[in-house]
Amino acid sequence: QVQLVESGGGLVQAGGSLRLSCAASGSISGIHVMGWYRQAPGKQRELVASMVLGSTTNYADSVADSVKGRFTISRDNAKNTVYLQMNSLKPEDTAVYYCYLRYHGDYWGQGTQVTVSS
């Protein structure tokens, strides 16, 4: 059974940085997608960034325009972990961030709160 465990959220001042981690456990092989969504109060969940893993083809990472140049998604294949490095944070980045995995279905992490104070 696939499980996702997130860590790294918290409270930070505007202009600061945070790094989120998402470790996937379970039997995962072959092509799959991992990434991050976020949901702010009163808003729909939106894709922040994602990447294709487990493929010999290099696929470009997908990053939302609202965070492009500030957020970077990366991975550690050995640990089956993806990271979201968030720099130059803004109050509008405040949201619950959810890790997700698309592998014969969709899996979600428990969510981690990111709060950016002005």
Side-chain angles (χ1 to χ4, degrees):
Q1 185 173 353
V2 174
Q3 288 189 321
L4 303 175
V5 177
E6 304 169 12
S7 61
L11 172 64
V12 65
Q13 288 187 330
S17 298
L18 285 173
R19 189 177 82 154
L20 306 183
S21 300
C22 175
S25 62
S27 180
I28 302 170
S29 62
I31 296 174
H32 54 285
V33 177
M34 290 187 72
W36 299 88
Y37 276 75
R38 68 184 181 185
Q39 188 165 21
K43 295 188 177 181
Q44 289 187 330
R45 192 173 293 191
E46 63 173 352
L47 177 65
V48 178
S50 66
M51 62 192 322
V52 178
L53 306 173
S55 173
T56 55
T57 301
N58 284 325
Y59 293 93
D61 299 338
S62 177
V63 181
D65 288 342
S66 58
V67 304
K68 201 165 289 185
R70 300 187 297 120
F71 291 12
T72 303
I73 188 170
S74 62
R75 67 177 181 259
D76 183 328
N77 289 327
K79 296 181 179 179
N80 217 11
T81 298
V82 292
Y83 305 94
L84 185 68
Q85 178 66 43
M86 305 185 292
N87 298 327
S88 302
L89 282 159
K90 304 176 180 180
E92 51 263 43
D93 295 318
T94 295
V96 177
Y97 285 69
Y98 296 91
C99 175
Y100 86 101
L101 163 69
R102 181 158 295 164
Y103 178 69
H104 301 298
D106 289 343
Y107 301 86
W108 294 92
Q110 77 277 13
T112 185
Q113 177 70 46
V114 171
T115 302
V116 185
S117 63
S118 56

XYZ file of all heavy atoms in Angstrom, residues 65-102:
312
model
N 2.644 29.212 -12.714
C 3.168 30.551 -13.013
C 3.297 31.398 -11.752
O 4.219 32.210 -11.639
C 2.252 31.255 -14.016
C 2.361 30.667 -15.417
O 3.368 29.969 -15.699
O 1.433 30.897 -16.213
N 2.390 31.210 -10.817
C 2.377 32.044 -9.613
C 3.599 31.821 -8.723
O 3.900 32.665 -7.865
C 1.100 31.788 -8.811
O 1.011 30.415 -8.459
N 4.294 30.707 -8.903
C 5.454 30.409 -8.055
C 6.739 30.233 -8.866
O 7.808 30.004 -8.286
C 5.213 29.155 -7.189
C 3.952 29.316 -6.366
C 5.142 27.902 -8.048
N 6.620 30.344 -10.175
C 7.781 30.134 -11.027
C 8.877 31.139 -10.671
O 8.614 32.328 -10.474
C 7.371 30.278 -12.490
C 8.317 29.623 -13.486
C 7.658 29.506 -14.847
C 6.568 28.471 -14.863
N 5.992 28.255 -16.219
N 10.107 30.638 -10.569
C 11.228 31.483 -10.196
C 11.434 31.577 -8.693
O 12.468 32.058 -8.237
N 10.449 31.133 -7.935
C 10.573 31.170 -6.467
C 10.570 29.765 -5.865
O 11.256 29.522 -4.871
C 9.416 31.975 -5.861
C 9.357 33.404 -6.334
C 8.298 34.210 -5.570
N 6.949 33.694 -5.788
C 6.152 33.235 -4.800
N 6.584 33.232 -3.561
N 4.933 32.812 -5.077
N 9.797 28.864 -6.447
C 9.691 27.499 -5.930
C 10.399 26.539 -6.875
O 10.340 26.691 -8.093
C 8.234 27.060 -5.831
C 7.427 27.753 -4.771
C 7.887 28.881 -4.105
C 6.163 27.267 -4.433
C 7.126 29.511 -3.139
C 5.392 27.890 -3.464
C 5.874 29.010 -2.820
N 11.034 25.529 -6.291
C 11.726 24.513 -7.079
C 11.355 23.138 -6.550
O 11.412 22.901 -5.336
C 13.252 24.690 -6.996
O 13.610 26.000 -7.430
C 13.957 23.671 -7.884
N 11.008 22.252 -7.457
C 10.728 20.868 -7.080
C 11.948 20.026 -7.423
O 12.585 20.226 -8.460
C 9.456 20.341 -7.779
C 9.076 18.966 -7.231
C 9.602 20.328 -9.294
C 7.703 18.495 -7.689
N 12.282 19.104 -6.533
C 13.427 18.230 -6.767
C 13.143 16.871 -6.150
O 12.123 16.685 -5.482
C 14.705 18.836 -6.175
O 14.583 18.972 -4.777
N 14.045 15.923 -6.352
C 13.795 14.561 -5.867
C 15.079 13.916 -5.395
O 16.186 14.299 -5.778
C 13.186 13.710 -6.970
C 14.155 13.463 -8.137
C 13.517 12.549 -9.155
N 14.398 12.260 -10.275
C 14.287 12.857 -11.449
N 13.358 13.751 -11.644
N 15.109 12.512 -12.426
N 14.889 12.915 -4.565
C 15.965 12.013 -4.166
C 15.466 10.617 -4.511
O 14.640 10.047 -3.796
C 16.246 12.163 -2.664
C 17.408 11.298 -2.210
O 17.618 10.214 -2.786
O 18.098 11.698 -1.264
N 15.949 10.084 -5.613
C 15.451 8.788 -6.079
C 15.685 7.683 -5.065
O 14.842 6.814 -4.874
C 16.115 8.423 -7.406
C 15.625 9.289 -8.543
O 14.470 9.711 -8.556
N 16.499 9.587 -9.481
N 16.832 7.710 -4.424
C 17.169 6.646 -3.473
C 16.196 6.621 -2.301
O 15.916 5.554 -1.748
C 18.593 6.813 -2.983
N 15.676 7.790 -1.947
C 14.764 7.879 -0.805
C 13.303 7.934 -1.243
O 12.413 8.024 -0.399
C 15.086 9.117 0.031
C 16.464 9.090 0.679
C 16.701 10.350 1.510
C 18.062 10.320 2.168
N 18.315 11.554 2.974
N 13.088 7.941 -2.553
C 11.733 8.078 -3.099
C 11.028 9.277 -2.464
O 9.873 9.192 -2.018
C 10.910 6.813 -2.895
C 10.001 6.540 -4.088
O 10.125 7.171 -5.131
N 9.076 5.623 -3.928
N 11.729 10.358 -2.452
C 11.270 11.584 -1.793
C 11.339 12.746 -2.768
O 12.297 12.855 -3.543
C 12.145 11.887 -0.567
O 12.014 10.808 0.369
C 11.731 13.184 0.110
N 10.318 13.579 -2.729
C 10.352 14.829 -3.485
C 10.350 15.992 -2.508
O 9.833 15.878 -1.383
C 9.185 14.965 -4.479
C 9.317 13.954 -5.598
C 7.855 14.851 -3.782
N 10.938 17.081 -2.949
C 11.066 18.270 -2.123
C 10.461 19.461 -2.863
O 10.464 19.508 -4.090
C 12.535 18.555 -1.821
C 13.265 17.407 -1.185
C 13.993 16.501 -1.956
C 13.217 17.221 0.193
C 14.651 15.438 -1.374
C 13.887 16.160 0.787
C 14.598 15.275 -0.005
O 15.252 14.217 0.576
N 9.990 20.398 -2.098
C 9.558 21.674 -2.654
C 10.297 22.766 -1.897
O 10.008 23.017 -0.728
C 8.044 21.854 -2.539
C 7.483 23.104 -3.209
C 7.616 23.001 -4.728
C 6.022 23.327 -2.816
N 11.269 23.348 -2.571
C 12.003 24.466 -1.984
C 11.253 25.744 -2.320
O 11.049 26.055 -3.495
C 13.431 24.521 -2.540
C 14.254 25.673 -2.029
C 14.542 25.573 -0.543
O 14.873 24.504 -0.040
N 14.402 26.690 0.183
N 10.855 26.454 -1.291
C 10.056 27.662 -1.481
C 10.851 28.855 -0.981
O 11.149 28.959 0.212
C 8.730 27.532 -0.716
C 7.943 26.291 -1.087
S 6.327 26.217 -0.287
C 6.808 25.983 1.422
N 11.206 29.734 -1.888
C 11.958 30.944 -1.557
C 11.108 32.180 -1.830
O 10.106 32.117 -2.547
C 13.244 30.999 -2.389
C 14.171 29.839 -2.116
O 14.245 29.334 -0.997
N 14.901 29.421 -3.143
N 11.530 33.289 -1.275
C 10.833 34.569 -1.477
C 9.336 34.412 -1.235
O 8.507 34.851 -2.050
C 11.092 35.094 -2.895
O 12.473 35.247 -3.133
N 9.003 33.801 -0.138
C 7.606 33.522 0.152
C 6.809 34.800 0.341
O 7.321 35.801 0.859
C 7.494 32.628 1.385
C 7.803 31.145 1.119
C 8.165 30.431 2.408
C 6.623 30.484 0.445
N 5.551 34.723 -0.099
C 4.631 35.848 -0.011
C 3.422 35.445 0.831
O 3.100 34.252 0.913
C 4.149 36.242 -1.411
C 5.261 36.567 -2.389
C 4.692 36.839 -3.776
C 5.786 37.156 -4.776
N 5.235 37.421 -6.131
N 2.731 36.427 1.411
C 1.530 36.077 2.186
C 0.518 35.269 1.373
O -0.155 34.399 1.926
C 0.980 37.449 2.585
C 2.198 38.310 2.666
C 3.086 37.844 1.553
N 0.442 35.514 0.085
C -0.515 34.765 -0.740
C -0.107 33.313 -0.970
O -0.870 32.540 -1.552
C -0.737 35.457 -2.091
C 0.533 35.798 -2.851
C 0.961 37.250 -2.634
O 0.905 37.726 -1.465
O 1.373 37.884 -3.630
N 1.075 32.936 -0.520
C 1.473 31.525 -0.567
C 0.921 30.739 0.615
O 1.059 29.513 0.672
C 2.998 31.397 -0.575
C 3.636 31.967 -1.821
O 3.094 31.747 -2.923
O 4.686 32.644 -1.691
N 0.306 31.437 1.561
C -0.279 30.778 2.721
C -1.355 29.796 2.279
O -2.283 30.151 1.555
C -0.878 31.811 3.684
O 0.175 32.623 4.207
C -1.606 31.121 4.827
N -1.205 28.545 2.700
C -2.125 27.489 2.289
C -1.733 26.195 2.983
O -0.661 26.107 3.595
C -2.083 27.286 0.772
N -2.594 25.209 2.848
C -2.209 23.849 3.197
C -1.638 23.216 1.932
O -2.274 23.243 0.878
C -3.399 23.023 3.716
C -2.963 21.590 4.003
C -3.987 23.669 4.960
N -0.450 22.678 2.048
C 0.236 22.069 0.921
C 0.115 20.549 1.019
O 0.405 19.962 2.061
C 1.702 22.491 0.903
C 1.890 23.912 0.429
C 1.471 24.987 1.204
C 2.461 24.186 -0.809
C 1.619 26.296 0.763
C 2.625 25.486 -1.267
C 2.199 26.537 -0.476
O 2.349 27.837 -0.907
N -0.304 19.958 -0.103
C -0.527 18.518 -0.148
C 0.415 17.877 -1.154
O 0.496 18.301 -2.315
C -1.956 18.201 -0.574
C -3.019 18.673 0.378
C -3.613 19.926 0.246
C -3.444 17.858 1.427
C -4.590 20.359 1.117
C -4.430 18.285 2.308
C -4.997 19.527 2.150
O -5.959 19.950 3.022
N 1.088 16.867 -0.703
C 1.877 16.051 -1.618
C 0.939 15.065 -2.316
O -0.039 14.591 -1.708
C 2.931 15.294 -0.816
S 3.900 14.124 -1.784
N 1.235 14.771 -3.569
C 0.425 13.764 -4.240
C 1.299 12.879 -5.115
O 2.392 13.252 -5.536
C -0.690 14.413 -5.064
C -0.286 14.816 -6.466
C -0.618 14.036 -7.560
C 0.423 15.992 -6.684
C -0.238 14.413 -8.840
C 0.805 16.371 -7.960
C 0.463 15.579 -9.035
O 0.846 15.950 -10.300
N 0.762 11.694 -5.351
C 1.416 10.709 -6.199
C 0.374 10.153 -7.155
O -0.722 9.774 -6.737
C 1.998 9.581 -5.336
C 2.360 8.273 -6.045
C 3.555 8.495 -6.963
C 2.658 7.172 -5.045
N 0.705 10.139 -8.433
C -0.176 9.531 -9.431
C 0.501 8.262 -9.930
O 1.506 8.312 -10.633
C -0.443 10.494 -10.581
C -1.376 9.928 -11.650
C -2.004 11.050 -12.434
N -2.875 11.852 -11.590
C -3.313 13.073 -11.916
N -2.916 13.629 -13.040
N -4.104 13.733 -11.109
